[in-house]
Amino acid sequence: MPQFKSLALAALDWPARVLFPPVCAGCRRHVSQPGSLCAQCWPQLRFLEKPWCEVMGTPFTHDMGAGFLSAEAIANPPPFERARAAVSYTGVARQMAQGLKYSDRTHLAPWMARWMLRAGAELVADADVVVPVPLHWRRFLQRRFNQSAELGRVVAELSGLPFAPMALTRVKVTRQQVGLRRNEREANVRAAFRVPSGREIEVRGRRVLVVDDVYTTGATVSVVARALKKGGASAVDVLTFARVLPGDFRPDEATTI
């Protein structure tokens, strides 16, 4: 009986595969499974691995020993406890992040979220609730979906954690962060988030796992972390699909994040 059921499901899936064959998440070549990468794109991914800064999650070229922190974490301690990302924001990872955010390729979210779970296993193990970085309602109406919520929903489902997409709201219409310097990004998102009245119960006394698509300078997730702690969260960790590292961009390169 299980074998018959599998054959029946495969038969139902056949017309869709013929009409809409799965393509590589990076270059759009035909592949065997939706959301997967072809043999040419897979080697382009740079997965972020240990050794890394225990706070910022930025990789080190050499193992400095347990608990060693980056200069950034020491000089400018963030308001969140830990940050982790699955991949470096370059090459095919950049194409995937932009495809999800700007081209409605929401089918990529489950694959991206699985890589995030691998990178943030220790954060997920300690978390009490998953909260995505919210969009302002005007931008949500324009885009029709929130890429961070798409990722956060899958992270919550696969980890068995509660998902609280309404625990945080964006109360300020901000400019796109694209092209802004660090200080401009910080000013742009200052006081942009808050825990709505009546939603404090979802974060009060809990360790919150904030999910976003790309960590650039940390300006957005820092403001988010402060807002969540003001709303009663006991601690905040940050998990993103990609992380912008030094060398990910050329000075003359025009791109979007």
Side-chain angles (χ1 to χ4, degrees):
M1 193 67 177
Q3 184 178 9
F4 176 78
K5 185 177 180 181
S6 298
L7 290 172
L9 291 173
L12 290 172
D13 188 50
W14 181 80
R17 284 180 173 271
V18 172
L19 294 173
F20 307 102
V23 294
C24 172
C27 67
R28 312 304 291 269
R29 292 188 181 94
H30 287 176
V31 291
S32 59
Q33 295 293 328
S36 58
L37 296 174
C38 68
Q40 286 73 29
C41 287
W42 179 257
Q44 297 180 34
L45 280 176
R46 180 189 175 187
F47 287 97
L48 301 185
E49 310 272 1
K50 290 183 178 181
W52 53 34
C53 170
E54 294 293 335
V55 172
M56 305 303 298
T58 46
F60 294 135
T61 55
H62 303 288
D63 191 349
M64 304 295 186
F68 192 86
L69 301 182
S70 62
E72 180 184 8
I74 296 171
N76 188 26
F80 50 82
E81 275 58 46
R82 296 170 295 182
R84 298 289 183 270
V87 294
S88 172
Y89 187 72
T90 185
V92 67
R94 188 187 314 182
Q95 295 169 22
M96 293 178 70
Q98 292 181 359
L100 172 63
K101 189 170 185 175
Y102 300 113
S103 301
D104 296 351
R105 299 179 67 190
T106 54
H107 64 280
L108 296 177
W111 297 83
M112 297 163 70
R114 286 181 174 89
W115 296 344
M116 292 166 65
L117 284 169
R118 175 178 174 271
E122 57 187 331
L123 277 60
V124 172
D126 293 339
D128 297 311
V129 61
V130 175
V131 174
V133 173
L135 291 177
H136 190 271
W137 66 268
R138 292 181 183 174
R139 188 159 292 163
F140 182 83
L141 289 178
Q142 293 172 349
R143 194 175 291 171
R144 303 185 305 279
F145 73 96
N146 176 4
Q147 73 280 356
S148 300
E150 296 295 319
L151 294 169
R153 183 178 296 106
V154 181
V155 167
E157 288 176 357
L158 295 179
S159 61
L161 290 169
F163 181 53
M166 306 301 291
L168 191 70
T169 186
R170 189 184 290 247
V171 296
K172 173 183 170 185
V173 180
T174 56
R175 297 166 54 195
Q176 290 279 1
Q177 297 277 65
V178 179
L180 299 183
R181 294 187 293 270
R182 177 186 288 269
N183 63 330
E184 293 173 327
R185 286 173 177 262
E186 291 172 353
N188 188 39
V189 295
R190 189 173 297 128
F193 304 93
R194 75 162 175 244
V195 176
S197 177
R199 293 284 181 177
E200 298 91 344
I201 191 173
E202 297 184 274
V203 299
R204 185 178 294 126
R206 294 182 171 183
R207 190 175 191 110
V208 177
L209 180 63
V210 169
V211 170
D212 204 2
D213 55 343
V214 181
Y215 185 115
T216 308
T217 65
T220 298
V221 292
S222 291
V223 174
V224 163
R226 292 189 186 98
L228 286 167
K229 288 186 174 181
K230 186 175 180 180
S234 62
V236 176
D237 291 317
V238 176
L239 180 59
T240 62
F241 168 67
R243 175 72 181 262
V244 175
L245 299 174
D248 280 350
F249 296 111
R250 301 188 305 271
D252 61 342
E253 185 176 24
T255 190
T256 54
I257 298 178

